Amino acid sequence: MSLSSLNNTHHENQHDMVNALLSGVRLKGLEYRRVDISAPFGLRFGEGADKQLAYFHFIGQGSAFLRTRNGTVQQLACGDAVLIPCAGVHDLYSEDDVSLVSIDAFEKVPLCDSTAEISACDLKVCRSRDNFIFSCAMEFDLGWLHPLAHLKPEVMHIETVPNHDPQIPILLDVMTKEIMAKRPGYGVILTRLADVVAAAILRRWVETGCNVCGWVEAMRDPKLAQVLSALHRDPGRQWSVADMAIEMGVSRSVFAERFTELTQYTPQQYLGNLRMRLASQWISHDNLSLDDIANRLGYSSTASFSRAFKRMTGIPPGAVRRGVYPE
């Protein structure tokens, strides 16, 4: 096989891996707000939420400081966008010691479904000094047993995206223009753009920022990426460690050592977790029957699949259908 063909195959395997990582992710915008506000200002987000939400913030004009629930502070300039995966209570403010007001305390003017406008501008201040912020509360579920579930950074920043996704600066520029111009239907357009930008931030993190779990290193190893890609394409095959080693083109012992070193799982542990994660997704989101799932994942019967699921997760598959998940 030529070097060009090897590179193309590796590139395809990397795509397979990223697709596999993102396949179980749910990123859905719930409530969007366009905020026009004069400095000094202090906005508090996430109070009173009945569940853990992610937040997307885009600074269309002006600047703000972001303080996360852990007390970390960073400055956001005009054109900056961030995704906060496990946001909790956090603040956007113009300067230190400013009074903080819950975003829910402001009067909202509906623009369209789930999108509203908030205006808190000082009429004595030149409009060029106003701050325009577009924010979105989102459901962000990596899914239990997902290999990235416990590795989400506190803040995902757009600054790592433009060099690899040149379309993103264009989308951010469009968002800025929509915020400024307020043309008819701009609320709908902003929500769609925010969803795309947030997804791009997440994808870039998956591609480069989650080294801790070994995925990035695995994707950089062409032979191992080939094995992982094969497992994700055909999780129901009766894979043995020897089969995986053959796929990689090395001895069984070399394969097992390399696999465990990079992924932190033995090959069979990884395969089992993959199957249970897929099963959970198919049960909770796709409403597949247990018979169908057992067949897809290579189990001889529904009973054997159910026993394996309970052994690995601590709960029966029926509990997941009722919305119960393991710790």
Side-chain angles (χ1 to χ4, degrees):
M1 182 179 291
S2 68
L3 180 60
S4 176
S5 297
L6 284 172
N7 287 336
N8 287 338
T9 300
H10 184 210
H11 191 61
E12 290 173 2
N13 288 332
Q14 286 182 315
H15 275 276
D16 287 345
M17 293 298 298
V18 173
N19 288 337
L21 278 172
L22 295 176
S23 65
V25 172
R26 296 293 186 272
L27 186 65
K28 177 183 178 183
L30 301 177
E31 187 174 17
Y32 303 83
R33 299 183 181 97
R34 178 196 193 273
V35 182
D36 302 355
I37 194 165
S38 301
F41 67 87
L43 304 174
R44 172 150 287 182
F45 296 83
E47 281 189 327
D50 59 355
K51 56 184 174 180
Q52 183 70 62
L53 297 177
Y55 271 82
F56 171 83
H57 297 298
F58 171 64
I59 309 299
Q61 179 174 299
S63 62
F65 290 97
L66 167 66
R67 180 168 51 229
T68 67
R69 63 176 180 172
N70 293 328
T72 303
V73 175
Q74 60 180 274
Q75 187 169 18
L76 304 180
C78 180
D80 282 347
V82 293
L83 177 65
I84 312 174
C86 300
V89 176
H90 62 287
D91 308 316
L92 288 177
Y93 58 95
S94 59
E95 56 198 72
D96 291 337
D97 300 323
V98 69
S99 297
L100 296 167
V101 180
S102 171
I103 192 68
D104 297 318
F106 290 89
E107 181 180 356
K108 295 185 286 289
V109 177
L111 296 176
C112 58
D113 289 345
S114 71
T115 307
E117 183 178 57
I118 293 173
S119 181
C121 295
D122 185 342
L123 298 180
K124 298 177 183 179
V125 173
C126 176
R127 296 283 69 83
S128 65
R129 297 176 60 188
D130 289 342
N131 296 269
F132 297 157
I133 302 168
F134 190 73
S135 294
C136 171
M138 314 184 86
E139 284 185 350
F140 181 29
D141 178 20
L142 283 172
W144 67 275
L145 280 183
H146 195 288
L148 305 181
H150 305 294
L151 302 171
K152 292 176 288 189
E154 190 174 25
V155 178
M156 299 178 185
H157 202 285
I158 196 66
E159 65 184 3
T160 61
V161 175
N163 291 337
H164 305 275
D165 294 284
Q167 73 276 16
I168 297 303
I170 298 173
L171 294 176
L172 294 176
D173 184 56
V174 173
M175 287 186 72
T176 300
K177 291 176 178 176
E178 290 291 337
I179 287 174
M180 301 291 287
K182 299 178 66 172
R183 295 169 58 192
Y186 81 93
V188 174
I189 292 174
L190 281 173
T191 62
R192 301 297 183 267
L193 291 172
D195 290 347
V196 171
V197 173
I201 295 173
L202 175 61
R203 180 179 64 181
R204 189 62 197 151
W205 172 66
V206 167
E207 288 179 326
T208 64
C210 50
N211 298 31
V212 128
C213 61
W215 279 81
V216 171
E217 285 301 318
M219 286 192 289
R220 289 173 181 163
D221 184 322
K223 292 183 177 180
L224 187 54
Q226 181 175 322
V227 177
L228 291 171
S229 179
L231 293 179
H232 282 265
R233 282 197 307 269
D234 190 9
R237 176 178 164 181
Q238 298 304 308
W239 289 97
S240 67
V241 175
D243 292 332
M244 299 180 205
I246 291 172
E247 189 80 26
M248 188 171 174
V250 296
S251 70
R252 187 179 183 278
S253 60
V254 169
F255 165 74
E257 181 178 357
R258 179 67 172 161
F259 191 100
T260 304
E261 176 188 0
L262 290 184
T263 68
Q264 306 303 308
Y265 294 101
T266 68
Q268 292 299 344
Q269 284 174 334
Y270 182 91
L271 180 60
N273 283 341
L274 170 62
R275 287 172 172 170
M276 296 307 108
R277 180 171 65 83
L278 289 172
S280 174
Q281 180 182 331
W282 293 338
I283 293 169
S284 60
H285 295 294
D286 300 317
N287 203 31
L288 295 186
S289 69
L290 297 188
D291 286 345
D292 194 5
I293 293 171
N295 184 59
R296 287 191 182 194
L297 294 179
Y299 289 92
S300 59
S301 66
T302 302
S304 63
F305 160 69
S306 296
R307 286 193 297 271
F309 191 95
K310 186 172 183 179
R311 183 178 68 254
M312 293 189 65
T313 69
I315 61 174
V320 177
R321 200 179 299 280
R322 297 192 299 271
V324 178
Y325 293 90
E327 292 295 332

